[in-house]
Amino acid sequence: MKSFIKALASLRLAVVVMAMSMVLIFVGTTAQVDTGIWQVQKEYFHSFWTWIEFKKVLLKNVPGGFPFPGGYLLGGVLLANLLAAHITRFKYTSKRIGVILIHSGLILLLFGEAMTSLFARETQMTLEEGVPTRWAQDIREPELAVIDPTSPGQDDQVVVVRAGRLAQKGDVKDQRLPFDIQIDDFYRNSTILGPMQPAPTRQKPATAGMGLQRKAIEAKAASGVEGESVDIPSAYVTLSKQGKNLGTYLLSAYVDDAQEVVVDVKPYKIQLRFRRFYKPYTIELEKFSHDKYTGTETAKNFSSLIRLTDPDRHESREIKIWMNHPLSYSGETFYQQSFRGNNISVLQIVKNPARWGTYFGVPYLACLVGALGMLIHFGTHLVQFIGKQNKMNQSLADPRAGARPPPLPGNGKRNNGPPAIIDLPPRSTWSLGTVVLPAIMASLALMFIGMLFQPPSQSSKSYDFNGFGVLPIMYEGRIQPLDSVARNSLRAISGRESISMPDGKTISAIQWLLETIAVPETADGYKVVRIDHTDVKSALQLDPAEKFFSLVDLKAKGQVFDQQFQQASQTDAHSRNDYQRKIMELAERLKLYVGLTQPGGLLLAPPIDGQKDWQPLGAAMRAAADDPANMSPAVKAFMMSVEDYRKHDVDAFNKDVKDYRDVLQVKLPAVESTTTFEDVFNHASPFFWSMFLYVGVFVFAACSWLGARITLARTAFWLLLITFAFHTFGLAGRVWITSHGPVTNLYSSAVFIAWAGALMCIFLELIFRNGIPTAFAAVIAVPTLIIGHCLTGDGDTMKPLQAVLDTNLWLWTHVICVTLGYTATYMAGLIAIAYVCLGVFTNTLEDPLARKTFNRMIYGVICFGMLFSFVGTILGGIWADQSWGRFWGWDPKENGAVLIVLWNALVLHARWCGWARERGVAVLAIFGNIVTSWSWFGTNMLGVGLHSYGFMDSAFYVLVWFIASQLLLIGIGSLPLTMWRSHNRPVTARGQGFPVKIA
């Protein structure tokens, strides 16, 4: 028994279980594309064994599969491993309190998930305004109900047949039933066809009820967002009484009304419905509100004002339920889930024994304990890590300390190769030569950044495009300057922020927008619509050598385009091929363009002089036509400026623009200041120009490895600090403009990862003082900023948030923590790539101390990534619990986050158990790049789940190539050490007298 418990407590067993869990989670995530999330949970996560089909792991055309442990088995083994480890291996000392708390939190999480999966119940209550309701339904489980209507004022007598019995088919006889039931066919999900729609011929067609007009055919299980895509069960049943046939009926949850069956003159009702749970209280919807952002269909908030009446408790009160603000009552929690029309609200009701009230329960306690343990454990190690590294830095700077022997022969070079990367003296070494160049470059960088904040110069005789660009508009749900609309629209239409004319001149985005509004006949001739796809140009008979086309060019192909668009739109979004997707993208670009050419529909009339909200320009003009004296001065100034531009009157145009801005400063000073700042922000383009500044950082850092190390390294570090400050301004500017956290969408996550990566590298540089993290800052910042720049093609990157996301508490906690986890995992992978490349292709890492330096950086960053990915994931669970009543639902995005946590934990445990040392940890860290990229982008490409609002598919091939590159690097890193230039002969640690073994 002791041997068994010891084996069960093995760290290596934990590594194997975590690896298998990652496989299961990945498969369970991809399976949700074709299978509903409830079925996926049942098959993969809430089972002891499962069968993994190859087609569910992105191998669509490969038949067959293989057995695999399910979630219950893997979770049970992991739980047993943790308990056995605490019994046999752990010493309960103050130094181990962090690990003990972490494992205790994990045990509670596993226990809570088991309780939830076994005992939790989720139902829905559909409320119609003015109609009291006292039952909820479980849309996962159907039932066949036979109803005996009683006298008015009394409850109906109901006998039900459960789903399990329906699936068995055959005869159902019970003395409580008024007739016998034969289940001919039962479909868990079905499609209902009308009388004119063809369907497979049944041997026993319906002979009574709605089946005379409709048919049901079996369909595959629904997939997509839970609660929005639901299986519709149907059944064909034959009823009889004492051998007398009463008819064959089609029953379906598709129809809400029960069908009447007459037996011995007495009417009964029969209905296939979702299982109902009756409450001892009633809930009545008094008012449902569906708030939208002005001028959009984007939901700002859903709320239900209800009246709860409970006679047993003598309660009758009004309660408001809205997004992230549920109601807890009688051991259940009510959440705002969805709606139908303007007067029907759908509440989700969760009864979970693992939860004790609205804001506490086993998951909450587990999160608190686990997060506290993480902070204690990794915080303690961080302090110790910094202390040891400071001592090492001191010894490196002073060879007399004895810990660092003098450099090898060859002027500090290893075999006359590049200088040892760890020989950089500390930054306390100051001299005139080491200060002049850094000061000059820092001054030039500051001057360059200052110039970016200056608007483009223009003469007094030219149009004041800058002033016109500051004018406000309510567009896509937020107030923004016209300059932002112009830039974002032109970028979405053409991929650029300016137009190059045949004569060599350049038209800015704001000038293009002004001409689109004022002189559309001229703007329609500009070649601004970008079409790259060869097949699209061929179908529209456009010049294949051209990339940009005018609206005039495309209008001539209108009939052909309409035909192609209709064909593409009739295909499901996830089933469209590349050509059809490009046709739909072109349609979106043209829709955007045409919308801008119709200014009457744009919300250009601000709420001045008692108006409650922004108005379309056309409506404001029509109102002014009836009463010209009461025309809004803002509308008047805007229309006059447009007319002045049409007449080529520069002075009048500039005057009217100034008059409009003067009105705003008096009437709407907050709007004026916001649009002015955003206009300055647009001209500065902090993220775009930061890319080039980071490139400069890398150039100086790389040159420092060739010579003049202190001077160039210090120059790179100072330039990094200035670039980071400029980058920080960009993030702070977005926060100020949007009034939300720095991470709200994929674009903002990219620029935040670049920022967080640079911040981590600054701290690493202050710790290690060798110039390497300075270079890494540029290496991680530039590609992620490029990714962010590519993501701007969809238009405005500061659009209002979906209702469920519109809560700053979680945007500042969960989202930031998770993104920091992404960043740290990427950073560890980047350092590992450098380790592999330098080790295989150069002799830079010939020194064991150099390898140790890299290994310490990788290990430290992985610990940091583990901390933030774990804390961020559990905070996300709490957010999900407050949003839709479920701490963990195995949603694709949730699964992506937990994959990062598991991978970081796997790497750390593999290192601790001896399966991975320096090289092994580096190779595993590179694979972490694949895991993180899947979590960041791959889950969004699936297009399913509660986070499907981030759907994208344009980067699929880029993701595939990135994964291929990481696998190639992993292969290079796995080459025998005899093929590594830094390890191609035995190396003896100087002064130690023994060979250094590298695993």
Side-chain angles (χ1 to χ4, degrees), residues 190 192 210 216 232-235 250-257 259 271-273:
S190 61
I192 304 300
M210 75 169 187
I232 304 298
S234 295
L250 167 61
L251 307 176
S252 177
Y254 179 81
V255 178
D256 293 331
D257 297 331
Q259 300 179 62
Q271 181 182 21
L272 186 65
R273 65 192 189 187

Side-chain angles (χ1 to χ4, degrees), residues 950-971:
F951 173 73
M952 60 176 299
D953 60 2
S954 58
F956 174 76
Y957 295 107
V958 177
L959 179 62
V960 170
W961 280 108
F962 175 78
I963 292 174
S965 70
Q966 300 307 292
L967 293 175
L968 176 62
L969 288 167
I970 290 172

Side-chain angles (χ1 to χ4, degrees), residues 638-714:
F638 181 84
M639 292 305 301
M640 290 182 64
S641 64
V642 171
E643 185 63 24
D644 294 335
Y645 187 82
R646 190 180 291 116
K647 295 178 179 178
H648 306 287
D649 192 337
V650 177
D651 293 335
F653 175 85
N654 294 342
K655 179 181 180 301
D656 290 329
V657 168
K658 183 179 181 303
D659 290 343
Y660 191 175
R661 297 192 62 182
D662 290 341
V663 171
L664 291 174
Q665 288 177 354
V666 175
K667 300 287 187 178
L668 298 173
V671 171
E672 168 68 11
S673 62
T674 300
T675 55
T676 300
F677 176 81
E678 186 171 343
D679 184 71
V680 172
F681 183 88
N682 291 339
H683 287 294
S685 299
F687 304 124
F688 177 78
W689 293 110
S690 289
M691 284 192 292
F692 296 95
L693 292 173
Y694 279 120
V695 170
V697 171
F698 179 79
V699 170
F700 281 105
C703 290
S704 72
W705 300 334
L706 304 178
R709 302 202 64 181
I710 300 176
T711 301
L712 295 177
R714 181 166 289 152

